[in-house]
Amino acid sequence: GAVVSQHPSWVICKSGTSVKIECRSLDFQATTMFWYRQFPKQSLMLMATSNEGSKATYEQGVEKDKFLINHASLTLSTLTVTSAHPEDSSFYICSASDTSGGFTDTQYFGPGTRLTVL
Amino acid sequence: AQRVTQPEKLLSVFKGAPVELKCNYSYSGSPELFWYVQYSRQRLQLLLRHISRESIKGFTADLNKGETSFHLKKPFAQEEDSAMYYCALSRYGGATNKLIFGTGTLLAVQP
């Protein structure tokens, strides 16, 4: 149980275009999903916290107009990188909290999405 | 400031040797700490959390508030333990607990 999927697993796009990444909790409901960014050989940096039905909360230094997050249902959150530039190239990882019981703050991670902007 | 420090980027040991992956934290409140593991080509997954005080795959970790540490230990390393290990701190961010990750330690267990 507690599986999180991401789509696509990798994407290459041209500079200036927008890219949408989906994060789904497959077998549980997640009122909260998190989006992280990971640079090569570095740790995960939290970008934003996404709560179902409300606006996302962004970490300091993360441009909310650049990284649009939508959490429309209890099983789906999307991250849209708008007007992507080469410096946005990174590994984006989502996680979801299982709120059905037990430790409500246990996060289950998706496999990540590799974004390359040319 | 809230911070998690893992001083070793790489730890290489021989099979059967003891392992200790170091983690120190800085947090003003009452911390909740985790160890996550990422095996090659797999996603990040929870290994253990200090609040449950359990042993997973032979690994244990004890929270030492005096030394602000949460080191991960295993008495006899196995080759399948080779992976990237991240220490993480949970901080309360409104209605949600958020994780702060350390930079990770790559454990390489040699045969």
Side-chain angles (χ1 to χ4, degrees), chain A residues 31-32 34 49 51 57 104-105, chain B residues 91-98:
Chain A
T31 55
T32 305
F34 303 85
T49 303
N51 291 294
T57 303
T104 57
D105 60 350
Chain B
R91 67 177 172 94
Y92 187 68
T96 309
N97 287 341
K98 303 179 182 182

Side-chain angles (χ1 to χ4, degrees), chain B residues 17 23 36 39 41 48 50 61 64 66 86-87 97 107 109-110:
Chain B
C23 172
Y36 280 82
Y39 300 101
R41 296 196 179 91
L48 55 80
H50 91 271
N64 186 322
Y86 293 95
C87 182
N97 287 341
L107 174 64
V109 181
Q110 311 294 333

Side-chain angles (χ1 to χ4, degrees), chain B residues 36-47 56-57 59 74 78-86 106-107:
Chain B
Y36 280 82
V37 60
Q38 188 170 28
Y39 300 101
S40 179
R41 296 196 179 91
Q42 294 188 29
R43 68 189 66 199
L44 204 63
Q45 56 186 286
L46 178 65
L47 180 63
I56 304 294
K57 298 183 179 181
F59 284 97
K74 184 170 182 177
Q78 302 299 316
E79 289 181 67
E80 55 265 30
D81 296 328
S82 296
M84 193 73 176
Y85 290 81
Y86 293 95
L106 179 62
L107 174 64

Side-chain angles (χ1 to χ4, degrees), chain B residues 18-88:
Chain B
V19 170
E20 182 179 64
L21 299 168
K22 291 184 168 49
C23 172
N24 287 90
Y25 67 90
S26 173
Y27 186 61
S28 57
S30 183
E32 187 165 359
L33 287 144
F34 305 78
W35 276 99
Y36 280 82
V37 60
Q38 188 170 28
Y39 300 101
S40 179
R41 296 196 179 91
Q42 294 188 29
R43 68 189 66 199
L44 204 63
Q45 56 186 286
L46 178 65
L47 180 63
L48 55 80
R49 54 196 300 159
H50 91 271
I51 199 169
S52 57
R53 303 183 66 82
E54 56 191 346
S55 173
I56 304 294
K57 298 183 179 181
F59 284 97
T60 59
D62 292 318
L63 178 62
N64 186 322
K65 291 186 178 181
E67 296 182 357
T68 60
S69 68
F70 187 58
H71 303 328
L72 183 68
K73 299 178 184 179
K74 184 170 182 177
F76 308 103
Q78 302 299 316
E79 289 181 67
E80 55 265 30
D81 296 328
S82 296
M84 193 73 176
Y85 290 81
Y86 293 95
C87 182

